[in-house]
Amino acid sequence: MTMKRITKHLLSLLFCASLVHLAVAEEVKVSSLDGNTILTVQIDKQISWSVKKYDQLVLPKVTIGMTVNGNQLAQSPKLKSNKEIEKNETFEVIVPLKNRQVSNNYKELQLAFKGGFGLHFRVYNEGVAYRFYTSMRGEIEINNELMDITFPDGSSSFFPKEVSTYSHYERNYLKLDIDSIPVGDFCSLPVLFNQDDEQLRVLFSEANLYDYPNLFLELTGDKHLAARFPMAVKATIPQPGARVDRNVIITKEYDYIAKTKGKRTFPWRLFVITNDDKTMLEQDMVMQLSDPLKLTDTDWIKPGKVAWDWWNDNNIYGVDFESGLNTATYKYFIDFASEYGIEYVILDEGWTKSTTEILDFNPDMDVKEIIRYGEEKGVGIILWCLWKPLDENMKEILDTYASWGAKGIKVDFMQRADQYMVNSYEQIAKECAARQLLVDYHGSYKPNGLRKAYPNVISYEGVKGNENHKWSDEITPIHNTTLPFIRMAVGPMDYTPGAMVNMQEENFNISFSRPMSMGTRCHQLAMYVVFESGLQMMCDNPSNYYKEEESTRFISKMPSTWDKSIALEARVGEFVVMARQKGENWYIGGMTNWDERSMELDLSFLPEGIFEMVLFKDGVNANKYAQDYQVKTIKVTQSDQLTIKLAKGGGFAAILRPIQ
């Protein structure tokens, strides 16, 4: 055969191969109900998908797959069937942090493949989501789940960088170009990406996480971020030293990320996509994508505010007893809570005999008497405990706390995100619900939708909040105006607001026992409207609150759940203004970063009628003396527009009541 004939024959083979490839490759599309978002699934040697929104290619390519029992499911996949469904439904939230009624309207693409697996893709007006499912017998080992995201040129991020998947998720959001992130660096979720000179945002997180580890994102190459998971934990030992009671060292891991049922759905991977920052404050995709209520009785679940002891180090004053970890101090907390209608007092670290002996209390505190006294005054008691001893003896410990009359637990120092820990979160929620106990997770990962199934899961930390003022200068107004768009966008955050000692940056000092906050007094007051938590802490000590009577009375009237929420003004890391409804009343909160600004407050969201508005705003000297504020009471209607001046690190808050 001549060289010419060989070349012709090879070209013919290549052409035939390309025809075969074209015949095998498939493409399936699904759009949002409003038509603005189009998701395209490409099935070839691998499965990938892309998204266009506003006629712009937002995610050019997301390659996905799963390795089960050593086999790559999505390698040269063969599609058996595809089906598109549409849903328009509404569900009620037991502990509503945004809206009591949530609309759940979407189109869903259901793909089934040979080999016992499939995919669901959902497209909402606000974003997109996907998940795998398997239909295999017995138990399976998930060795890995592939997700590789390619971002467009010029993309940047608010990157919550981690150094280990053994994490409490308390991170700053580092504003970084994706091109500048070193290969191997990774972050926890949620994470926010920016495109088109920050005119377009993509918020990434996950939902409906059960019996499976949390996902992290790692930079693997040029504009590529890929899924990373903690391996399933095989063995641990206590960490020697001062934190032997709460930290462990993982000594052995399995060669899989999860061992689980072969017939199941896996967590949703969700992407909120918007060119309006207000969308991130109003969307509720984690709740929309999560399993429905699993409890039959929820009437006992009571959200509320909490008088908190640990941040202020029990530094009450003006009393005739020595303050500290003793019965007299906590009765003082209870008296304060009762006077101001605060629902709970927390007994944080120090109330137990030791941090590991958590079935008994320290000799200076009669916890049964404190709980009895609280009941007499209409104040519930929540008990702090470490996760490690709780995990080792859960039923006896929870039975004991419930028998004393405690209303809930604040469980702390989980610090892990592997499969065992995820299962522990559900076990704690379930066991506490059986005893009518609330749960506040601290030292925790971010919310993943567990609270929809178990609404006694009332809040999560997983946030760099007010407590960090005790040892750092990183909790700035810039940080505070970033949190609502990222961390709070996936669920409640126990930030613990309410500082009464407020400082501008140049006056701020770190003090563990007598802490202060950055930003103005009204910046802190606004948090009770802007920040979402079913348990909303009042972090300062009662003596300071008594001294600041006007601010305290105002805070005490703030709800911790809402019937309706509306974002009025929003820009990540710059400013946020929220309006929220509870019954007939409306509440407004606004915060700014270090920039002074005038906010135009349009009240057209109000129903018809006249409202009395009590407005707390920054005082004329708040730029120098951050505790300076002014109070105005005015009459307003939906036709009014107000101009409110915010100091640097400032804020404002208002309560509006209809005039009968």
Side-chain angles (χ1 to χ4, degrees), residues 588-621:
I588 307 174
M591 303 161 64
T592 183
N593 57 13
W594 284 128
D595 295 333
E596 295 179 64
R597 68 182 76 245
S598 290
M599 304 296 296
E600 299 299 322
L601 187 58
D602 183 348
L603 299 180
S604 59
F605 62 87
L606 289 173
E608 290 184 359
I610 302 172
F611 286 78
E612 179 188 78
M613 179 188 215
V614 179
L615 172 66
F616 277 62
K617 62 178 184 176
D618 294 327
V620 294
N621 293 303

Side-chain angles (χ1 to χ4, degrees), residues 143-304:
N143 307 102
N144 196 19
E145 181 183 338
L146 169 69
M147 183 190 68
D148 184 284
I149 308 172
T150 304
F151 285 94
D153 289 340
S155 297
S156 63
S157 71
F158 287 84
F159 199 73
K161 182 179 175 180
E162 296 282 357
V163 295
S164 170
T165 59
Y166 186 65
S167 170
H168 46 60
Y169 281 60
E170 296 180 27
R171 291 291 173 261
N172 294 316
Y173 293 95
L174 307 175
K175 200 168 181 181
L176 301 171
D177 292 337
I178 290 179
D179 289 344
S180 72
I181 302 172
V183 171
D185 277 13
F186 66 99
C187 71
S188 50
L189 305 184
V191 56
L192 181 65
F193 299 100
N194 313 301
Q195 297 178 17
D196 194 19
D197 197 23
E198 298 191 6
Q199 297 305 306
L200 185 73
R201 312 276 196 191
V202 180
L203 177 75
F204 173 60
S205 198
E206 56 187 337
N208 214 42
L209 183 72
Y210 291 97
D211 195 29
Y212 204 76
N214 284 254
L215 185 151
F216 295 75
L217 269 185
E218 179 178 359
L219 194 88
T220 56
D222 182 33
K223 294 184 287 296
H224 283 262
L225 282 157
R228 171 174 174 169
F229 296 91
M231 306 303 289
V233 174
K234 189 174 186 179
T236 65
I237 59 172
Q239 176 182 301
R243 302 239 160 174
V244 67
D245 55 352
R246 60 198 73 188
N247 292 352
V248 299
I249 297 172
I250 298 171
T251 56
K252 293 181 181 178
E253 295 178 332
Y254 291 101
D255 60 355
Y256 52 79
I257 63 173
K259 189 173 186 178
T260 187
K261 293 182 294 184
K263 189 173 184 178
R264 62 163 293 181
T265 58
F266 291 86
W268 287 101
R269 284 63 179 90
L270 67 94
F271 301 77
V272 180
I273 304 169
T274 182
N275 59 7
D276 185 348
D277 287 359
K278 294 195 290 290
T279 301
M280 288 178 286
L281 303 172
E282 294 180 339
Q283 60 77 35
D284 217 351
M285 284 186 67
V286 170
M287 290 292 278
Q288 290 168 315
L289 292 164
S290 293
D291 278 353
L293 182 66
K294 295 184 179 181
L295 305 182
T296 55
D297 176 21
T298 59
D299 290 343
W300 58 273
I301 299 172
K302 305 295 182 188

Side-chain angles (χ1 to χ4, degrees), residues 8-48:
K8 186 176 180 181
H9 182 66
L10 286 173
L11 288 171
S12 177
L13 287 174
L14 286 170
F15 177 72
C16 291
S18 68
L19 289 177
V20 170
H21 177 264
L22 287 171
V24 171
E26 296 182 69
E27 190 173 272
V28 190
K29 295 188 177 185
V30 59
S31 63
S32 58
L33 292 166
D34 65 5
N36 287 331
T37 306
I38 300 171
L39 185 147
T40 302
V41 183
Q42 295 156 323
I43 304 163
D44 199 347
K45 293 180 180 178
Q46 291 179 297
I47 300 171
S48 64

Side-chain angles (χ1 to χ4, degrees), residues 318-330:
V319 296
D320 58 1
F321 57 86
E322 185 174 351
S323 64
L325 292 165
N326 55 53
T327 303
T329 295
Y330 285 95

Side-chain angles (χ1 to χ4, degrees), residues 475-484 495 518 523 527 531 591:
I475 312 305
T476 67
I478 299 172
H479 177 74
N480 296 337
T481 51
T482 301
L483 290 175
Y495 175 96
M518 279 195 194
H523 190 82
M527 292 176 181
F531 290 172
M591 303 161 64

